[in-house]
mmCIF file of all heavy atoms in Angstrom:
data_model
loop_
_atom_site.group_PDB
_atom_site.id
_atom_site.type_symbol
_atom_site.label_atom_id
_atom_site.label_comp_id
_atom_site.label_asym_id
_atom_site.label_seq_id
_atom_site.Cartn_x
_atom_site.Cartn_y
_atom_site.Cartn_z
ATOM 1 N N ASP Q 46 -39.835 -8.144 -97.823
ATOM 2 C CA ASP Q 46 -39.503 -9.465 -97.215
ATOM 3 C C ASP Q 46 -39.214 -10.476 -98.240
ATOM 4 O O ASP Q 46 -38.460 -11.489 -97.954
ATOM 5 C CB ASP Q 46 -40.587 -9.975 -96.324
ATOM 6 C CG ASP Q 46 -40.837 -9.004 -95.140
ATOM 7 O OD1 ASP Q 46 -39.936 -8.962 -94.249
ATOM 8 O OD2 ASP Q 46 -41.921 -8.372 -95.120
ATOM 9 N N LEU Q 47 -39.681 -10.344 -99.453
ATOM 10 C CA LEU Q 47 -39.447 -11.238 -100.602
ATOM 11 C C LEU Q 47 -39.770 -10.679 -101.874
ATOM 12 O O LEU Q 47 -40.627 -9.811 -101.970
ATOM 13 C CB LEU Q 47 -40.280 -12.528 -100.391
ATOM 14 C CG LEU Q 47 -39.967 -13.768 -101.212
ATOM 15 C CD1 LEU Q 47 -40.077 -15.032 -100.479
ATOM 16 C CD2 LEU Q 47 -40.995 -13.745 -102.407
ATOM 17 N N ILE Q 48 -39.083 -11.126 -102.932
ATOM 18 C CA ILE Q 48 -39.282 -10.634 -104.265
ATOM 19 C C ILE Q 48 -39.655 -11.766 -105.193
ATOM 20 O O ILE Q 48 -38.875 -12.719 -105.267
ATOM 21 C CB ILE Q 48 -37.966 -9.849 -104.863
ATOM 22 C CG1 ILE Q 48 -37.574 -8.766 -103.916
ATOM 23 C CG2 ILE Q 48 -38.215 -9.300 -106.273
ATOM 24 C CD1 ILE Q 48 -36.112 -8.279 -104.205
ATOM 25 N N LEU Q 49 -40.746 -11.616 -105.914
ATOM 26 C CA LEU Q 49 -41.103 -12.583 -106.993
ATOM 27 C C LEU Q 49 -40.617 -11.851 -108.340
ATOM 28 O O LEU Q 49 -41.149 -10.818 -108.611
ATOM 29 C CB LEU Q 49 -42.584 -12.757 -107.087
ATOM 30 C CG LEU Q 49 -43.149 -13.616 -105.950
ATOM 31 C CD1 LEU Q 49 -44.687 -13.762 -106.213
ATOM 32 C CD2 LEU Q 49 -42.604 -14.976 -105.828
ATOM 33 N N LEU Q 50 -39.691 -12.497 -108.980
ATOM 34 C CA LEU Q 50 -38.985 -11.836 -110.087
ATOM 35 C C LEU Q 50 -39.107 -12.655 -111.365
ATOM 36 O O LEU Q 50 -38.512 -13.695 -111.485
ATOM 37 C CB LEU Q 50 -37.569 -11.620 -109.700
ATOM 38 C CG LEU Q 50 -36.654 -10.861 -110.713
ATOM 39 C CD1 LEU Q 50 -37.190 -9.502 -110.972
ATOM 40 C CD2 LEU Q 50 -35.233 -10.836 -110.244
ATOM 41 N N ASP Q 51 -39.769 -12.091 -112.357
ATOM 42 C CA ASP Q 51 -39.877 -12.716 -113.693
ATOM 43 C C ASP Q 51 -38.471 -12.510 -114.449
ATOM 44 O O ASP Q 51 -37.854 -11.497 -114.159
ATOM 45 C CB ASP Q 51 -40.941 -12.071 -114.524
ATOM 46 C CG ASP Q 51 -41.185 -12.748 -115.809
ATOM 47 O OD1 ASP Q 51 -40.957 -13.970 -115.917
ATOM 48 O OD2 ASP Q 51 -41.565 -12.128 -116.814
ATOM 49 N N VAL Q 52 -38.125 -13.421 -115.209
ATOM 50 C CA VAL Q 52 -36.817 -13.380 -115.962
ATOM 51 C C VAL Q 52 -36.994 -12.416 -117.137
ATOM 52 O O VAL Q 52 -36.163 -11.512 -117.352
ATOM 53 C CB VAL Q 52 -36.416 -14.810 -116.481
ATOM 54 C CG1 VAL Q 52 -35.152 -14.621 -117.349
ATOM 55 C CG2 VAL Q 52 -36.034 -15.612 -115.282
ATOM 56 N N MET Q 53 -37.993 -12.579 -117.902
ATOM 57 C CA MET Q 53 -38.196 -11.785 -119.181
ATOM 58 C C MET Q 53 -38.882 -10.473 -118.839
ATOM 59 O O MET Q 53 -40.156 -10.500 -118.808
ATOM 60 C CB MET Q 53 -38.885 -12.531 -120.221
ATOM 61 C CG MET Q 53 -38.182 -13.899 -120.536
ATOM 62 S SD MET Q 53 -36.565 -13.664 -121.311
ATOM 63 C CE MET Q 53 -36.986 -12.898 -122.895
ATOM 64 N N LEU Q 54 -38.065 -9.413 -118.592
ATOM 65 C CA LEU Q 54 -38.762 -8.083 -118.262
ATOM 66 C C LEU Q 54 -38.257 -6.994 -119.213
ATOM 67 O O LEU Q 54 -37.149 -7.119 -119.754
ATOM 68 C CB LEU Q 54 -38.336 -7.753 -116.819
ATOM 69 C CG LEU Q 54 -38.931 -8.578 -115.679
ATOM 70 C CD1 LEU Q 54 -38.202 -8.182 -114.400
ATOM 71 C CD2 LEU Q 54 -40.395 -8.275 -115.550
ATOM 72 N N PRO Q 55 -39.077 -5.957 -119.453
ATOM 73 C CA PRO Q 55 -38.663 -4.836 -120.168
ATOM 74 C C PRO Q 55 -37.604 -4.018 -119.445
ATOM 75 O O PRO Q 55 -37.566 -4.085 -118.139
ATOM 76 C CB PRO Q 55 -39.947 -3.989 -120.405
ATOM 77 C CG PRO Q 55 -41.029 -4.842 -120.035
ATOM 78 C CD PRO Q 55 -40.497 -5.907 -119.078
ATOM 79 N N LYS Q 56 -36.775 -3.299 -120.100
ATOM 80 C CA LYS Q 56 -35.876 -2.256 -119.531
ATOM 81 C C LYS Q 56 -34.647 -2.887 -118.795
ATOM 82 O O LYS Q 56 -33.535 -2.750 -119.171
ATOM 83 C CB LYS Q 56 -36.609 -1.271 -118.641
ATOM 84 C CG LYS Q 56 -37.600 -0.421 -119.440
ATOM 85 C CD LYS Q 56 -38.258 0.554 -118.602
ATOM 86 C CE LYS Q 56 -39.265 1.357 -119.439
ATOM 87 N NZ LYS Q 56 -39.987 2.450 -118.591
ATOM 88 N N ILE Q 57 -34.899 -3.691 -117.739
ATOM 89 C CA ILE Q 57 -33.879 -4.472 -117.104
ATOM 90 C C ILE Q 57 -34.404 -5.896 -116.897
ATOM 91 O O ILE Q 57 -35.429 -6.036 -116.246
ATOM 92 C CB ILE Q 57 -33.510 -3.862 -115.706
ATOM 93 C CG1 ILE Q 57 -32.992 -2.425 -115.806
ATOM 94 C CG2 ILE Q 57 -32.342 -4.626 -115.058
ATOM 95 C CD1 ILE Q 57 -32.749 -1.778 -114.461
ATOM 96 N N ASP Q 58 -33.768 -6.856 -117.498
ATOM 97 C CA ASP Q 58 -34.344 -8.265 -117.338
ATOM 98 C C ASP Q 58 -34.054 -8.744 -115.927
ATOM 99 O O ASP Q 58 -33.291 -8.172 -115.193
ATOM 100 C CB ASP Q 58 -33.625 -9.171 -118.411
ATOM 101 C CG ASP Q 58 -32.148 -9.325 -118.149
ATOM 102 O OD1 ASP Q 58 -31.795 -10.199 -117.333
ATOM 103 O OD2 ASP Q 58 -31.354 -8.600 -118.777
ATOM 104 N N GLY Q 59 -34.803 -9.853 -115.630
ATOM 105 C CA GLY Q 59 -34.693 -10.314 -114.313
ATOM 106 C C GLY Q 59 -33.328 -10.854 -113.857
ATOM 107 O O GLY Q 59 -32.972 -10.677 -112.629
#
Side-chain angles (χ1 to χ4, degrees):
D46 297 292
L47 189 141
I48 304 166
L49 290 182
L50 180 61
D51 187 30
V52 171
M53 303 297 291
L54 291 169
K56 298 184 180 179
I57 302 176
D58 67 84

